[in-house]
Amino acid sequence: MDRPDSRPAGRPRDADADDRIIDAALAEYAAHGHAGYSLNGVARRAGVGKSSIYLRWADKESLLVGAVHARAEAPSVDTGSLRGDLEAVVRWLLRHFLSEV
């Protein structure tokens, strides 16, 4: 018998996981670049399973774009493709970080 005030089945989501995943995604990309950036690495750094990442983001590119937007004052871009958006944001980040040295 279901009670209206009952909790959903399964383990509750970890409230800190979003921040840990975002920080881990940025650290993983910074450490390994585009070629070495992986959800396995992000999951290890964040201390979560890949399923926790996939509950929040569709793929590694959308996670990285979301992480950049969450942590930087990046410009809003819409090139019409996820890859184009990611490339535009990464170019902005490189200019931003290199100009503050």
Side-chain angles (χ1 to χ4, degrees):
M1 171 161 50
D2 287 337
R3 294 183 358 202
D5 61 337
S6 66
R7 207 176 67 169
R11 186 178 351 164
R13 281 195 184 182
D14 180 352
D16 297 328
D18 287 3
D19 283 336
R20 288 196 325 269
I21 294 167
I22 287 170
D23 291 342
L26 295 172
E28 188 72 9
Y29 192 84
H32 301 289
H34 184 71
Y37 172 71
S38 72
L39 287 181
N40 286 331
V42 172
R44 262 192 311 278
R45 281 181 190 267
V48 300
K50 284 195 325 185
S51 60
S52 292
I53 296 172
Y54 282 119
L55 283 172
R56 295 161 171 85
W57 293 276
D59 51 38
K60 67 181 188 176
E61 288 83 10
S62 60
L63 167 57
L64 187 57
V65 169
V68 168
H69 281 284
R71 295 292 187 256
E73 297 288 326
S76 179
V77 294
D78 186 4
T79 64
S81 74
L82 182 59
R83 182 181 179 97
D85 292 353
L86 182 58
E87 289 172 347
V89 170
V90 168
R91 280 193 302 273
W92 177 86
L93 278 173
L94 288 172
R95 283 193 307 271
H96 174 73
F97 287 120
L98 292 175
S99 68
E100 291 188 7
V101 172

